[in-house]
Amino acid sequence: MRLRRCTAFTLVELLVVIAIVALLMAMVLPSMGRAREQARRTVCLANLHTLGQASQAYAAEEPIELLIPIHAAMVSPLPADDYWLRRCAMWFSYGGRSASEPFLTPAGPRRLDSSLGWAAGGRPINRYVYSKGVMEDDKALRAFLCPSDRGYPESEQIDDAPIENAGRRCYDTIGNSYRASLFGIFPPQGETYEGAFAIGPWGHRLSTIPDVARTIAFGEPTFFNMIGMDNGVVNPDPVVATGWHRQRMVDNMVFCDGSARFTRAEARRTVDESVAQDSMGVGANWVYLSRGPNWRFDLWPVAGARIWAADPESELWNPPYEAYGDRAGFWPFLGAQNNLR
């Protein structure tokens, strides 16, 4: 009688199989991750397109044709310890939901819910995106949520948000993943800002905005850090330079014509000083030009807009505003629109 031999894997063969499986997984998983992020990026672009169309509808009905809705938080003085509400949170206040988590600042946590009209019902653009019934359930306001929202990164090169709130979703802590382009000047009076002078689309009538296909209206907040800090630092570290969609120096933006696209960031100022002063005639104010190859924040040659002052008769708005010196006689101050609220 012949005995049947048992066949089995040797240890070496088993290790080879495991190694092959691990190699295949290592090859497949990054592709799956990229595919998932591509899907999230597509959802994000669809959200921004919706917001772009809503802002067009808002401008069509707004008495002075403003493209970016003005929330109460944008046009009111705030105490010095609320600096980050003015510096960061108000950029997101045009739309979105009531924040579900506190917004952390050096002065302590703030709840952006019903205070100052931060609840969903007080955010102007919401009614152009959702019906009243949906707005009452602010958890459903998903058009304001980027699925890759990770909040502002923790970095010393972030001057747009408090480091205490780093790594926490903007949608949860501010109520909106997408910030508006509030490119402007905020004249100080003591420890508070007492006015706002817009250089970009904020505060301007839609019909006066030039180059609407390249002028940014809203977008993912990481883009606004990629282009550099207010102090002129233009080479962000790798943490700041990588957007929510894992792309270096690229993020989703929506433009003043309502279109949305993946947009590459560049240094804040790409206009040569001599060209700006000689050919464009902006004088010392060339520092207010902010644009890249396929986008821009400034509205040159359209003059700026006075959109808020605690006292419209104050010296802040009696041109020329002396604090600007010789700059007051050039763009963007000369011939400014008066859209004071």
Side-chain angles (χ1 to χ4, degrees), residues 5-325:
R5 294 183 59 189
C6 294
T7 59
F9 288 112
T10 65
L11 180 59
V12 172
E13 291 171 329
L14 184 59
L15 291 175
V16 169
V17 171
I18 292 173
I20 293 173
V21 171
L23 179 61
L24 291 174
M25 290 181 65
M27 295 172 61
V28 171
L29 286 178
S31 298
M32 293 177 62
R34 286 192 295 269
R36 284 194 297 269
E37 194 53 61
Q38 175 66 33
R40 295 189 189 105
R41 187 176 76 178
T42 300
V43 171
C44 177
L45 275 176
N47 288 345
L48 284 171
H49 179 73
T50 296
L51 300 186
Q53 297 305 306
S55 67
Q56 298 286 319
Y58 179 87
E61 292 188 10
E62 223 275 344
I64 52 176
E65 202 188 346
L66 295 184
L67 181 72
I68 297 176
I70 293 182
H71 183 272
M74 296 178 178
V75 289
S76 59
L78 292 169
D81 60 358
D82 278 339
Y83 170 81
W84 286 110
L85 294 188
R86 182 176 57 245
R87 169 70 174 167
C88 177
M90 80 170 188
W91 299 338
F92 298 78
S93 62
Y94 66 91
R97 66 170 185 169
S98 305
S100 60
E101 298 178 9
F103 178 63
L104 303 183
T105 75
R110 296 299 305 270
R111 277 281 182 184
L112 304 185
D113 39 38
S114 59
S115 61
L116 287 178
W118 285 95
R123 302 195 182 208
I125 207 173
N126 285 8
R127 65 189 180 92
Y128 292 87
V129 182
Y130 292 105
S131 66
K132 182 178 179 181
V134 174
M135 282 200 302
E136 291 174 354
D137 177 15
D138 60 17
K139 294 180 181 179
L141 305 184
R142 308 292 286 184
F144 297 95
L145 169 63
C146 171
S148 295
D149 183 348
R150 299 190 301 278
Y152 283 90
E154 184 175 356
S155 169
E156 294 298 325
Q157 290 195 8
I158 296 291
D159 58 358
D160 284 350
I163 199 164
E164 290 81 1
N165 206 55
R168 305 173 73 235
R169 290 200 312 180
C170 295
Y171 184 72
D172 295 332
T173 61
I174 309 178
N176 190 351
S177 295
Y178 307 111
R179 63 160 282 186
S181 177
L182 305 190
F183 187 43
I185 302 168
F186 302 85
Q189 284 285 309
E191 294 184 333
T192 65
Y193 290 140
E194 293 294 324
F197 184 88
I199 302 174
W202 181 43
H204 282 80
R205 295 184 289 274
L206 176 58
S207 60
T208 68
I209 297 176
D211 201 5
V212 290
R214 294 178 65 245
T215 304
I216 290 175
F218 309 98
E220 293 175 306
T222 46
F223 182 94
F224 296 82
N225 291 289
M226 292 173 182
I227 63 172
M229 301 171 67
D230 288 351
N231 64 7
V233 175
V234 296
N235 296 308
D237 64 36
V239 173
V240 178
T242 302
W244 284 347
H245 301 290
R246 309 294 184 183
Q247 298 288 318
R248 179 176 172 80
M249 298 296 283
V250 181
D251 254 336
N252 284 334
M253 295 285 114
V254 64
F255 296 80
C256 290
D257 63 350
S259 64
R261 60 181 179 267
F262 219 34
T263 306
R264 179 165 295 281
E266 301 286 348
R268 179 181 294 273
R269 300 183 186 109
T270 58
V271 178
D272 181 80
E273 179 178 1
S274 61
V275 172
Q277 292 183 343
D278 299 337
S279 303
M280 300 172 72
V282 298
N285 292 335
W286 74 275
V287 296
Y288 294 140
L289 298 173
S290 183
R291 55 184 67 180
N294 300 304
W295 57 269
R296 60 189 286 183
F297 288 147
D298 69 88
L299 298 190
W300 185 90
V302 173
R306 297 187 291 269
I307 68 165
W308 168 60
D311 177 8
E313 302 303 320
S314 74
E315 64 178 11
L316 290 176
W317 306 127
N318 290 325
Y321 176 39
E322 293 181 0
Y324 299 130

